[in-house]
Amino acid sequence: MSVPHDKEINQLEQELRQPLSQIMTHPITSHGTAMLIKALQPAFDGLKEASDEERFSLRQTLPSKRPSLFRLMHSQLSSYSRVYWVASLMVFGMLMLMLPTNEYVSYISVAQTFTFVLPALLLASLAYSFRSWNKEMRMIESITPYPPALLLIVRTMIVIGLNLVFGLLGSIYMNIEVRSFPLLPFVLQWLSLMLLVSGVTAYILMWKGFKAAFACSALLWLFWNGVEQRVLPTNELSNTGNATAMYLSALIAGILLLSLAYKKSFGRRLLP
C-alpha cells in the first residue's frame, strides 16, 4: 500500500515520460556543437567589443599611474636594516682613522688603501643584499610591476652609490687635512676599480646569477690590488701615462658594463 505522495510522483513520471523521450531522441554530436558555437559567435564578438570599449573608456577617465623607479629605489632602501647602515658607517669610520694625514703622505699609498677597502666593502654589501634572494623571494618578486632582474640591479646601484659616497667623503677629508693633496688623480685611482668591479658584478649578474658575479668580482679585486701593489710606484710624479690610461679605461669599461646591465634588466623576467 502506497501513500498519496508516492502516487503523485508516479503520476508525474508517467506524464513526463513521453515528452522527455521525444527530446532525447537525437544524441548530441560534435557537428551540432560546432554549429551552435558558430551561431552564437556574433553575440560573443559583440560582448567582447563592448567590454574592450568599456575598459578603454575607464582607462581614459582614470589617472594613469605607471610604476616609478624612484619608488622602487625607496622601497629597496627600506629593506636594509639599521645593522647594515651602522656597520657600513663603522667600517668607513675606521678607514678614516687609519689614514695618515701628515704633509709627507703619498696620495698613491692612500689611494691604494681606498682601492683595497672600498671594493671589499662593496662586495660585502652585495653579499648582504642578496643573502635572502632565494626561490621563494623570486616567486614573490615575479608578481611586482618590475622585472626581478631590475630589482637586483637597483639593489646593486644602492650599494654602489653608498660606497661612492663614502669614497667621495674620504677624498674630501684628505684634501682638507693634507696640504696640496691632488684630489682628481686620487679619486681617479680608487674610482676606476670601484666602477669596474661594479660593472662586472652587474653584467655577470644578468647572465649567470649572483654567485658567478660575486666570484668574478672578487677575483678581479684581488688581481687588481696585487698588480697595483707590485707595479705602481709610490712616487707621485710617476703616476702618469700608462697608469692614467689604465685607470681611465677601467672607469669607462665599468660605466659601460653598468649601462648594459641596466638595459638588460628590463628584458629579463628570471635569472639563472
Side-chain angles (χ1 to χ4, degrees):
M1 180 177 179
S2 61
V3 296
H5 182 68
D6 293 337
K7 291 181 179 180
E8 293 177 359
I9 294 176
N10 293 331
Q11 184 179 357
L12 182 62
E13 290 179 353
Q14 292 177 1
E15 293 176 355
L16 294 177
R17 184 172 298 166
Q18 184 177 1
L20 289 175
S21 63
Q22 294 177 355
I23 293 176
M24 301 300 296
T25 51
H26 301 287
I28 299 175
T29 62
S30 58
H31 177 72
T33 303
M35 294 298 294
L36 178 61
I37 294 176
K38 184 177 180 180
L40 295 175
Q41 191 63 46
F44 293 153
D45 294 338
L47 291 174
K48 182 180 178 181
E49 292 178 1
S51 178
D52 292 340
E53 292 177 359
E54 183 179 357
R55 286 199 301 266
F56 179 77
S57 60
L58 184 63
R59 190 182 301 127
Q60 294 295 324
T61 55
L62 294 178
S64 177
K65 295 183 179 180
R66 299 184 62 184
S68 171
L69 188 60
F70 176 77
R71 293 179 182 177
L72 174 60
M73 295 186 67
H74 183 268
S75 64
Q76 293 300 309
L77 275 173
S78 62
S79 65
Y80 289 84
S81 64
R82 293 182 180 180
V83 177
Y84 169 76
W85 300 111
V86 172
S88 300
L89 289 174
M90 289 180 62
V91 172
F92 177 69
M94 289 187 291
L95 174 62
M96 293 295 99
L97 294 176
M98 291 169 51
L99 296 178
T101 56
N102 58 78
E103 58 179 329
Y104 301 104
V105 65
S106 171
Y107 86 88
I108 293 181
S109 63
V110 179
Q112 288 176 346
T113 303
F114 271 59
T115 303
F116 183 83
V117 175
L118 289 180
L121 182 59
L122 171 68
L123 294 174
S125 301
L126 288 174
Y128 176 86
S129 300
F130 299 120
R131 72 195 188 285
S132 61
W133 192 72
N134 49 25
K135 182 179 180 180
E136 290 75 16
M137 287 299 297
R138 277 182 280 182
M139 292 177 62
I140 294 174
E141 291 173 349
S142 64
I143 64 175
T144 63
Y146 303 95
L150 180 60
L151 296 178
L152 301 185
I153 288 297
V154 168
R155 292 180 186 177
T156 306
M157 295 296 183
I158 290 174
V159 173
I160 294 171
L162 175 64
N163 287 274
L164 286 178
V165 170
F166 284 161
L168 292 175
L169 290 177
S171 302
I172 295 173
Y173 170 78
M174 292 299 299
N175 188 47
I176 295 174
E177 292 293 326
V178 181
R179 183 180 302 177
S180 301
F181 191 84
L183 182 62
L184 291 180
F186 175 75
V187 172
L188 177 63
Q189 186 169 339
W190 65 261
L191 185 61
S192 58
L193 179 60
M194 171 71 70
L195 290 181
L196 182 60
V197 170
S198 302
V200 169
T201 303
Y203 188 78
I204 298 179
L205 183 65
M206 292 295 98
W207 295 96
K208 298 297 182 180
F210 174 70
K211 292 182 179 180
F214 185 87
C216 293
S217 300
L219 290 175
L220 173 62
W221 168 67
L222 291 173
F223 175 78
W224 182 285
N225 281 279
V227 171
E228 192 176 51
Q229 291 289 339
R230 290 179 175 272
V231 175
L232 188 63
T234 57
N235 186 5
E236 297 178 6
L237 296 178
S238 63
N239 187 25
T240 56
N242 294 334
T244 303
M246 179 183 70
Y247 293 142
L248 287 175
S249 300
L251 187 72
I252 295 173
I255 295 174
L256 180 61
L257 289 173
L258 281 173
S259 60
L260 290 175
Y262 180 75
K263 182 179 179 181
K264 186 67 177 178
S265 65
F266 288 93
R268 288 187 74 95
R269 296 300 305 179
L270 294 174
L271 291 176

